[in-house]
Amino acid sequence: MDPTTILQIVDTVMSLGDIVIKCITRLSALKAQFHDAPIIVTSMIGQLHMIKIAQDQLSPLTSPKFNHDPRYRQLAGQIGNALDSFGPILLALSQQLDRYEGVVGSDEMTAKSRMGYLHGEREMTNLSILLDRQVNALNLLLQAIQCQAWSQQSDMMTQEESQSVLRLAQDCSSSLVGLEDVASFISENTAAISTEFEFDHILRGTLLYQAAERSNLRQAIRGKKMTDHDKTSESSPVQKPATFGLKHAFQSMRLCRPITPFGTSGTQRGIRVDIRRDFVVEPSADHVVIEGESAWEDSSYSNSRDMDKINSGTETSRQAEPRNGIDSDTARPHSGLGTWRNPFQRRTSNARETKPYQQEVFFQPRMIRVLLLGASGGGKTTLLNALRLCNEAERVKRDEGDIRTLVWQNALDSARAVLRAMEELDMDSELTTSARRLLLEPCTDCDRDPALNPQHATEVATSISLLRFIEGFQEACNWRNRWGNTYQFHDNSEYYIENISRLAEQAAQRSVATDGDLLRTQVTTTGIHQVSITYQGTQFCVYDVGGERSERKKWIHAFKDVSAVIYPVDTTGYGRSLREDADGDRMREQFMVFESIVNNSCFARSSFIVVFSKMDILPQYLKEEDASAFLRSCGIIPDSGSRITAVYDYISHLENHFRGLVKSIELRERIQFVCANLVDVDKCNPATDIFNTLGSLIPSRRVSTPGKKVSTPTGEKYRLFEKIPASQEIDELSSECSTSSPL
Ligand SMILES: Nc1nc2c(ncn2[C@@H]2O[C@H](COP(=O)(O)OP(=O)(O)OP(=O)(O)O)[C@@H](O)[C@H]2O)c(=O)[nH]1
Ligand SMILES: [Mg+2]
């Protein structure tokens, strides 16, 4: 992990200081101005004060002397992601206050401005809930930093209570799953807070309000019918702004003036009403996503209505969302959200040379746009790295020291997880004590390039190698399969432990890490990274995204004009938990995400390639853990089905299940399934095959007319990465693995 991550987080928290102070001032003014101000305003002021105090306490930590302190790096890993939503929440609050300040012109509110409040009220509640979670996570960070010893800090962070604080902060309205799970947005401390205005029921009872609501409902129903029948007549009611009925209602009630859309000429005695949420959304081809602002809008604070649209595809994504009657400029939030992402973008080491996602790419012609999607740990970044290795020019860009450090840290992390499992299994011996001293106690040399202190690297490597001779070592390795495992095992821990001495030797000679070493590293991706790769004259623009739940809200920014979606699936994910949620089932999560993606209307014309990754380690997994129990529990095989040990059988069941999740019959037929070992690129880089597949799929897609069936090379499954039909080769692989000891 990047040693300065903790400083970035602290910096980010600090950089939001001005906004916190402004929000406090504005909320206080709002409270003073509006006698009936709900309790939520007071509660938010309190939350913001706590954040301010936290900022003051964190300020000394911005000193560079903390750069190499492993304690802070550990904290960064646990809290970094949790605080990802912190900035956007504050900025959205600021934006909401902009609206409110427009609404509250005087103590005496008109019916119209009260309606504005009602519409914004739910958003404020959601913001408060989200803010509450961030405050809790921030408090945890402060407490952890104040611990005297590493062990204290570690104990504190592993407590179930702390983990749940982090989980809640991380899940803030951010994932495909999270958005559907509305219940998870009610936190214990805020559920009791009432945000009901006293006048709400009076307002709701008025003819004016009811007329407006009925009219909106009618508009929505008509709009849906029109979409269902795919009618796009200019004069159809769906073309009218949804506020038409509202406007009419106001006119007929002889209110001061009809409502005009926000940002046009909609001011009345300094009062502005935000009714944008009621517009029927008409996608516009010209609209371009500004990443920062839309990321926030898209998360929508648990607005399950929006999520339904994304999943069901009833509406083109919110990225194309200029509302009728509002020009795209005024439709954008005006609080500078376009810049919030930068301080939060935690770049990953192996995506270091990639550029952050940029909108201009949308306009580059004749570029094959490929999107890597999938749950965390499926192998998206590994596949991207393999693709890059096909291009010789990409190799030159690598910084040897960085790669060596990354590989070394992955190797040490692998050993640490196994060591902890050994301790839990009471396998204490002299060897584990020495390894523990070297690996689990703070040590700056462990965090640096091993070439800087080869003697230390050799000492560490020797102690790790010796662990393999302790009885029960393999049993500790098998802990990776334990459900709800608190130690996240590295997928390639056995490889790294086996090769640790070679890595130390290579470091002593300052040699560069091998491609295999690099591809086996694991760094959680955050954000969206785009890489342009030219292969045999064709330019591919590949997007890699973070697959963890908290990252998925960002995906939608890359959904436009996608030629092909590649969906890597961790075939060893059955019966294993998610990295971000010890109670989440990895394989079921992969099914669920796939179902949401493949049936999304954004990809109706894209090609799909499902890559079954980790075929090299799958045979060993199948031996250790019975896959049939999992398949039975998902209803994929009947209860009476016998144990599955052959890789081919298992893969066939997986393929059938994935195919069954595709609703479109046409897509179901043309979807491609391939098996891949993404980390052994020396003999044959699987990426060359994927380039060829993309080349063969895309032109046929381009020339195809809508509705016309796209011809695809059927019957070629398993051949892309494994050169011979899977049934034969995979079973050969299986028997090979079963005869060789893993270590
Ligand atoms: N042995 C083996 N390991 C693999 C294979 N594919 C991926 N891995 C490993 O699986 C781990 C996770 O892979 P990543 O590419 O980081 O997964 P990801 O989908 O990018 O995950 P996020 O960035 O969290 O979304 C890494 O340690 C990879 O080296 C494979 O085919 N064989
Ligand atoms: Mg990744």
Side-chain angles (χ1 to χ4, degrees), residues 376-377 379-382 492 519-520 525 547 579 614 616 678:
S376 185
K380 297 178 290 299
T381 307
T382 312
N492 291 299
L519 288 168
R520 282 177 176 86
T525 307
R579 231 186 269 149
K614 309 192 187 177
D616 53 322
L678 297 172

Side-chain angles (χ1 to χ4, degrees), residues 380-381 523-525 544-546:
K380 297 178 290 299
T381 307
V523 187
T524 305
T525 307
D544 179 25
V545 301

